[in-house]
Every structure is written in structure tokens, then in C-alpha cells.
Amino acid sequence: MTGEPWPVPDVLAHLAGRWRVRRTVRDLASGDEGHFEGTTVFSPLPEGGLLHEETGTFTWLGVARPAERTLRFLRGSSPGRADVRFADGRPFHGLDLTTGHHVADHPCAADLYRGEFTVRDADRWRSVWRVGGPAKDLVLTTDYAREG
């Protein structure tokens, strides 16, 4: 993707709705690559914030399997910020899209997850997660495109 990041004054309002998702997962150690295709829906939570529900198919080494994940995007300290949590409420990372670009770290046991988020326009954004640790050397690139 090229171009300047697109500032987002209200991250929850921006993300609300349905997004087409395409992800590549590259194992830098082995050279293997997998792909995910599916949908992410950001729907309102009763207590405020958004429920992020992702469903689709993940293909790794030629084997396709159903895949899903659920996150919670809660209102941050300002409308341009969100507090991203796992489905069970544990903290994942902060997200500040006021400039259209954000880098977040999430330590997980011996691994470090570093996510870079870039908003391209009202209907497209990307996340790139680099995962490093004793047994992991991965890059996950996800492109989101708003659906109707």
C-alpha cells in the first residue's frame, strides 16, 4: 500500500461495520507461507465499544481449515484511541489512529508481538504483526476492505 496514512478522529465509529479480510502469514525461518480469507464484523457491545468477530478459512501447507477469533475494542482515553482486549477481557494492546498510523507491542511469554496499523482511507486499512521469540519468526500482514 502506498500513500500517506489517513487520520481517524473516532476509531470506533470508523471500524464499525463489516470488512473483507485477506491475511498472509510468513514463517521467516522456514519460508512457509499461509493465507487467511474471511470477514471481520465490528458490532456494538452493550457496555460500549465494539465486538470484533473474525471468521474465515486459513490455509497452511496446502491444508484449509476454518478459523475465527474474537476481540473487544473499548473506548480509549479519547475518541481516536481504543483499548483492544482479548475475548476474555485480558489486555492486548492500545490503538491510537488519530494520525492514521500506530505501532503497538504485546509481550506474550517469551515472544514479542509488534503490530503496525495504517489507515489508507475511509474503506481500507492494514495491520502488520511481526512475531519474534525463541520458536517464532513470523510476519502476519492483514488487509481490510470495507464491505457495502
Side-chain angles (χ1 to χ4, degrees), residues 14 29 31 39 42 62-63 70 73 77 83 85 89 91 111 114 120-121 125 130 135:
H14 177 76
T39 303
F42 288 90
V63 178
T70 301
F73 281 62
S77 60
D83 176 21
R85 296 187 169 259
D111 302 324
R114 171 162 283 165
R120 293 301 178 199
D121 57 35
W125 62 287
R130 176 73 192 261

Side-chain angles (χ1 to χ4, degrees), residues 86 90-92 105-113 131-136:
F86 292 105
R90 287 177 300 124
F92 187 13
D105 286 343
H106 174 73
C108 183
D111 302 324
L112 176 64
Y113 289 67
V131 184
K136 293 181 183 173

Side-chain angles (χ1 to χ4, degrees), residues 25-87:
V25 179
R26 289 189 303 133
D27 184 324
L28 301 179
S30 69
D32 292 331
E33 187 168 290
H35 302 275
F36 173 86
E37 290 204 23
T39 303
T40 294
V41 177
F42 288 90
S43 56
L45 285 165
E47 66 275 16
L50 296 172
L51 183 65
H52 163 284
E53 295 176 293
E54 181 178 276
T55 57
T57 302
F58 181 60
T59 304
W60 184 258
L61 302 177
V63 178
R65 294 183 177 94
E68 62 183 41
R69 74 174 174 162
T70 301
L71 299 170
R72 301 161 65 83
F73 281 62
L74 306 178
R75 175 78 57 204
S77 60
S78 70
R81 296 180 177 171
D83 176 21
V84 183
R85 296 187 169 259
F86 292 105

Side-chain angles (χ1 to χ4, degrees), residues 113-131:
Y113 289 67
R114 171 162 283 165
E116 183 174 0
F117 302 83
T118 307
V119 180
R120 293 301 178 199
D121 57 35
D123 298 319
R124 296 178 306 135
W125 62 287
R126 169 180 277 186
S127 70
V128 179
W129 283 96
R130 176 73 192 261
V131 184

